[in-house]
Amino acid sequence: MNFYVMTLFPEMIEQGLNTSIIGRAMEKDLLSLKAINIRDYTLDKHKRVDDYPYGGGAGMLMTVEPVLRTYEAVRADIAERTGKSERPRVVYLTPWGHTFTQKMAKELAQEENLVFLCGHYEGIDERALEEVATDFVSIGDYVLTGGELPAMVMIDAISRLIPGVLNNEDSAEYESFTGNLLEHPQYTRPEEYNGKRVPDVLLSGHHAKIEAWRKEQSIERTKKFRPDLLEKM
Ligand code: 6GU
């Protein structure tokens, strides 16, 4: 998977994703990540990338030209690397987009190239979105200052679904949201801490009983924290 992030803050993306599991996957060439600075593609002599909204109102908007020129540079890079010239999927991060889900992450993980467009200020001129964006995604019902953190959230969620990125092959499957149940409680050593014991069943070695206990705990936890998920089942 080759990720591209079009942003005014490329160092935020790079620093946020260079470490840990995603960083290791990049070293292993399972993933690549390029953060491209939209400001590098403005033709304005003062390097401006924003302007006042027509019709008035608060704040500034990102202008069309730098966004389109950044997009063309990304397409040229994809063409050079892969020889392919079809339009890549471009996810525009916005609070008014469809809410990001595990299902969406699984679907996007099938792409060979995936481009993210991060807005700042009050957003981006609609004409730029019409030209380049294919998907409109929010990460939840709250407002952030820009699309960078949401892009990083999506890249993290998508990357861990790519074969080889997680060391344990099945750990991507067994978790919360696969099958609409939340994960059961888990315990590691010691068997007793401050008088609190690990549930006996987990020490029993009885695999069928352990599975049944975990399932029941998953259901209880889902009832308590996310009853909406049970209603969907
Ligand atoms: Cl994708 N962008 C911004 N600015 N705020 C958000 C968001 C995205 N998702 C939730 N809040």
Side-chain angles (χ1 to χ4, degrees), residues 180-181 219 222-223 226-233:
N180 274 334
L181 283 181
I219 293 167
T222 310
K223 265 188 208 160
R226 294 294 305 276
D228 57 302
L229 293 177
L230 286 174
E231 279 149 33
K232 270 199 268 174
M233 285 177 81

Side-chain angles (χ1 to χ4, degrees), residues 89-93 98 107-108 114 132-137:
R89 273 177 91 168
V90 178
V91 177
Y92 175 53
L93 287 317
H98 299 288
E107 194 221 323
L108 292 170
L114 195 53
V132 313
T134 59
D135 297 77
F136 300 83
V137 181

Side-chain angles (χ1 to χ4, degrees), residues 92-97 119 137-148 150-151:
Y92 175 53
L93 287 317
T94 170
W96 52 258
V137 181
S138 161
I139 61 163
D141 289 343
Y142 41 81
V143 179
L144 302 168
T145 55
E148 284 76 14

Side-chain angles (χ1 to χ4, degrees), residues 188-198 203:
T188 183
R189 290 195 293 181
E191 268 183 45
E192 186 178 323
Y193 187 83
N194 274 356
K196 289 173 82 85
R197 285 191 49 77
V198 172
L203 309 173

Side-chain angles (χ1 to χ4, degrees), residues 13-200:
I13 302 289
E14 281 156 5
Q15 290 182 12
L17 293 171
N18 264 340
T19 47
S20 91
I21 294 173
I22 309 301
R24 220 177 314 132
M26 291 195 288
E27 280 167 23
K28 286 200 270 174
D29 283 335
L30 295 167
L31 309 174
S32 76
L33 172 69
K34 286 191 181 178
I36 300 109
N37 194 341
I38 294 171
R39 198 177 298 277
D40 290 345
Y41 293 88
T42 178
L43 294 174
D44 182 84
K45 60 176 180 288
H46 305 295
K47 295 235 163 225
R48 275 185 62 179
V49 291
D50 63 325
D51 212 329
Y52 298 96
Y54 281 116
M60 305 289 273
L61 290 177
M62 286 167 68
T63 58
V64 182
E65 188 169 65
V67 174
L68 294 196
R69 295 184 76 243
T70 307
Y71 172 70
E72 290 309 329
V74 167
R75 286 193 68 186
D77 194 85
I78 293 172
E80 191 184 323
R81 287 161 77 145
T82 67
K84 289 182 185 158
S85 64
E86 65 250 42
R87 300 172 78 85
R89 273 177 91 168
V90 178
V91 177
Y92 175 53
L93 287 317
T94 170
W96 52 258
H98 299 288
T99 308
F100 187 49
T101 59
Q102 189 65 22
K103 184 169 168 242
M104 228 187 263
K106 280 187 184 172
E107 194 221 323
L108 292 170
Q110 309 307 310
E111 298 291 321
E112 184 183 346
N113 299 292
L114 195 53
V115 183
F116 294 89
L117 172 58
C118 302
H120 248 267
Y121 313 112
E122 294 304 307
I124 302 183
D125 187 306
E126 190 70 18
R127 292 165 295 184
L129 301 179
E130 286 170 3
E131 287 292 318
V132 313
T134 59
D135 297 77
F136 300 83
V137 181
S138 161
I139 61 163
D141 289 343
Y142 41 81
V143 179
L144 302 168
T145 55
E148 284 76 14
L149 287 168
M152 289 161 68
V153 165
M154 289 186 68
I155 290 168
D156 188 287
I158 293 164
S159 295
R160 60 185 290 293
L161 298 176
I162 291 165
V165 171
L166 297 184
N167 21 333
N168 178 357
E169 285 291 340
D170 1 68
S171 50
E173 268 312 304
Y174 270 120
E175 289 155 358
S176 297
F177 296 109
T178 337
N180 274 334
L181 283 181
L182 301 182
E183 209 174 4
H184 50 76
Q186 302 202 83
Y187 301 85
T188 183
R189 290 195 293 181
E191 268 183 45
E192 186 178 323
Y193 187 83
N194 274 356
K196 289 173 82 85
R197 285 191 49 77
V198 172
D200 283 335

